[in-house]
Amino acid sequence: MAIALAASLLLSSGFLWEDVASQQALICERDILATCLEALPQSARSQLPNSQLLQLSMGARAAMVLPILHREIAGVLVTDFDKLPHKRSVNWGTGHYSLALNRQDELTYWHELGHLEAIAAMQSLNLQINSTYQHEWLSDLYLVWRVANETNSLDLAWQQYHRRNIDVIANTEFMSHWSVPILAQALQHYSVKQLQSFDSFNAFLTDFWPLLTVPNDDSIAEFSSLIQRTFGAGTVQPLPGYMYWRKPDLGRYLEPTLIKIMGQSSAKHWLAEQNMQPETPSIAPRL
């Protein structure tokens, strides 16, 4: 497996298992999927399609997670990390920009595992996951907590933040994964040391939940429309009046990423041209 898996992974019969709350997840490489699935107890295996259908469902993705309703097994994570990109590029009226993507195998692994961790953590809070969008930002919160604990830094969490922004700038179809409004709050509230003080993702989410503000569907739709009109193909001039009430918040979410890929001076100038100057200070990296 390409990933430098954490020491918590247990090798069993040639397959990898990782703890998910009080359960375990089976980790399968795509090219040995059929054999790997045989490691599941029949009561769990019977809930999944056959390996050929799973291969088709995975398509060109680098990873796919399959939750299972089982007392001991949380789910299966299928990986194909050879498909992971090493940079993300975007182009709009001001030029071409790119972001180097480091340690993508680990980040992808932690995000996908986060889907299973999110289910367990929300159940412990007597709550349900109500949308694909909620599933994605919960998974990215797990990634932030895991990054702090595995790397003693938040650099890779910021990389995920920037990637989510660049993805929607390039194509608003990625709005379903735009966890930035949630990540901004987590990165603002918690330092590395504070995140490391939680001995589980469940403990972190329990602490963060009362502090968390989640944008509603209408807000996400407005952000999507504003992003499309600002960065979409054919946009050649500022639109100062369009959704002016959303511009300061969008500017606050985008500013750290624009500074990362454009430089501070160019980013500040562009935000001013677009009337997107944040009304409150943008989030900045914490130690």
Side-chain angles (χ1 to χ4, degrees):
M1 185 176 282
I3 188 171
L5 291 169
S8 61
L9 290 177
L10 303 175
L11 191 62
S12 174
S13 302
F15 306 120
L16 292 165
W17 295 87
E18 179 153 4
D19 291 339
V20 174
S22 62
Q23 299 172 297
Q24 286 192 313
L26 176 64
I27 318 302
C28 294
E29 288 186 338
R30 183 174 187 167
D31 59 359
I32 57 168
L33 179 58
T35 305
C36 182
L37 292 177
E38 293 175 2
L40 290 171
Q42 181 57 31
S43 53
R45 178 67 186 90
S46 62
Q47 297 182 40
L48 300 175
N50 63 45
S51 59
Q52 290 87 354
L53 288 176
L54 290 178
Q55 293 274 10
L56 289 174
S57 297
M58 191 167 181
R61 285 183 283 179
M64 177 176 68
V65 68
L66 305 159
I68 292 175
L69 295 174
H70 193 274
R71 188 179 65 179
E72 299 174 348
I73 310 299
V76 175
L77 200 165
V78 186
T79 66
D80 189 0
F81 292 142
D82 290 340
K83 291 183 168 60
L84 288 171
H86 298 291
K87 70 175 182 177
R88 188 71 170 96
S89 299
V90 66
N91 184 40
W92 76 93
T94 59
H96 181 85
Y97 306 97
S98 64
L99 174 73
L101 299 176
N102 300 312
R103 298 174 69 170
Q104 276 300 284
D105 50 0
E106 289 164 289
L107 292 182
T108 300
Y109 177 78
W110 291 333
H111 172 81
E112 294 299 330
L113 195 66
H115 284 290
L116 300 178
E117 290 277 0
I119 293 170
M122 290 290 280
Q123 287 175 344
S124 74
L125 294 173
N126 294 317
L127 296 170
Q128 292 184 333
I129 300 176
N130 296 316
S131 67
T132 299
Y133 180 62
Q134 186 179 22
H135 233 307
E136 294 300 335
W137 60 252
L138 282 166
S139 298
D140 270 354
L141 282 181
Y142 175 76
L143 180 149
V144 170
W145 174 80
R146 188 76 183 254
V147 161
N149 281 274
E150 297 285 353
T151 71
N152 198 34
S153 167
L154 288 175
D155 289 351
L156 292 175
W158 274 102
Q159 179 179 292
Q160 189 78 349
Y161 181 103
H162 298 321
R163 181 177 184 176
R164 295 307 190 201
N165 271 334
I166 290 173
D167 282 344
V168 296
I169 288 171
N171 189 337
T172 52
E173 289 184 6
F174 285 99
M175 287 300 296
S176 63
H177 287 63
W178 191 56
S179 57
V180 167
I182 310 300
L183 294 184
Q185 296 173 68
L187 292 168
Q188 185 173 42
H189 281 300
Y190 297 100
S191 66
V192 171
K193 295 300 183 186
Q194 288 170 323
L195 288 166
Q196 291 173 338
S197 72
F198 300 110
D199 61 3
S200 67
F201 175 63
N202 184 16
F204 164 49
L205 189 62
T206 300
D207 186 81
F208 187 39
W209 196 261
L211 308 173
L212 180 59
T213 300
V214 180
N216 60 32
D217 291 345
D218 288 342
S219 296
I220 291 296
E222 288 177 354
F223 280 126
S224 179
S225 181
L226 180 55
I227 291 168
Q228 175 63 33
R229 288 291 300 270
T230 303
F231 298 101
T235 301
V236 294
Q237 60 184 4
L239 303 167
Y242 185 74
M243 288 201 176
Y244 62 89
W245 61 92
R246 286 291 171 207
K247 289 195 169 192
D249 279 343
L250 182 59
R252 182 163 55 91
Y253 293 141
L254 293 182
E255 186 175 48
T257 301
L258 296 181
I259 289 172
K260 176 72 174 177
I261 62 175
M262 300 174 71
Q264 182 157 338
S265 178
S266 294
K268 296 280 189 182
H269 179 72
W270 185 88
L271 287 167
E273 280 188 332
Q274 298 292 327
N275 285 357
M276 279 192 194
Q277 301 97 323
E279 292 179 351
T280 57
S282 294
I283 176 179
R286 296 182 61 182
L287 300 177

